[in-house]
Amino acid sequence: MKKKRKRYKIRIERLAFSFSVISMLILLVLNGAISIFSSSKGKVNDTTLLVKSKQSFVVCIDPGHGAYDRGTESASGVFEKDIVLKVGLKVGQILENNNIKVVYTRKDDETILGSDDREDLKKRVQISHDNKADVFVSIHCNSYKDASIKGIELWCDEPNTKDELLAKDIQNELYKLKYTEKRNIKYQSNSPLYVLKNNDAISALVEIGYLTNKDDSKFITSKDGQAKCAEAIAKAILSFKESIKK
């Protein structure tokens, strides 16, 4: 009888130990699930435009002009090269925050890409090619002898292409800011642009406004205006990325 009690006691202890181990495992699994859920929620930021994804999408940001090439100029003496550099760097920062790989044709005002205009443009396209960019966006400001002319102007390769879809996405997001007019999209086949014609990536060139127009110039030379333009361009690129995935 004592032996039976002893065996029974041992069985009870073993069952208790097994139950304890199983309970611990269940708790560990539940805690892990809660941690994963919490951490994934923590990744969502109010300033994040889209949920982060795998870093397999490459965007080349091309702030136009630079160094000796000032581009156009506002009435108050602000150069195009400085405006588009600030906008371009901000676009890249937003994209990087969304786990997009970003390459730049220039990140400062000292970079000289070529000894002449053609060599400069060739180098910009080469940077895009070398980094196997999926998307190339060149950022500029516009000018015209008639100071009443204003608006957002987009250039792309051809109608009914992914390039046009990207251009339209950028145009629409910028137009939502309501700081200027929306002009017709232009195609490089009518007036060839080197960075579009010779680029393997899906490409668009955006003119964010006319520095020769008082209203456009006031907005795009301001810190707030530049930040809003950058956010709109970045949002358009992220939206375009999702649309071509579908």
Side-chain angles (χ1 to χ4, degrees), residues 137-165:
V137 176
S138 191
I139 305 171
H140 291 259
C141 300
N142 228 330
S143 66
Y144 196 64
K145 58 185 177 181
D146 182 351
S148 68
I149 301 298
K150 61 180 180 177
I152 303 153
E153 192 167 271
L154 268 294
W155 288 76
C156 65
D157 189 13
E158 297 288 347
N160 304 313
T161 60
K162 288 180 181 178
D163 305 72
E164 185 187 49
L165 179 60

Side-chain angles (χ1 to χ4, degrees), residues 20-78:
S20 176
V21 170
I22 291 167
S23 299
M24 286 177 68
L25 288 170
I26 291 170
L27 284 171
L28 285 170
V29 171
L30 287 172
N31 285 334
I34 291 168
S35 297
I36 291 167
F37 179 72
S38 300
S39 64
S40 64
K41 282 184 73 177
K43 288 180 182 177
V44 179
N45 189 302
D46 288 336
T47 60
T48 300
L49 296 172
L50 285 178
V51 177
K52 293 185 178 182
S53 59
K54 290 184 179 179
Q55 197 179 55
S56 59
F57 195 77
V58 182
V59 176
C60 183
I61 300 296
D62 174 41
H65 308 281
Y68 64 87
D69 179 7
R70 297 173 176 178
T72 190
E73 183 180 355
S74 73
S76 59
V78 182

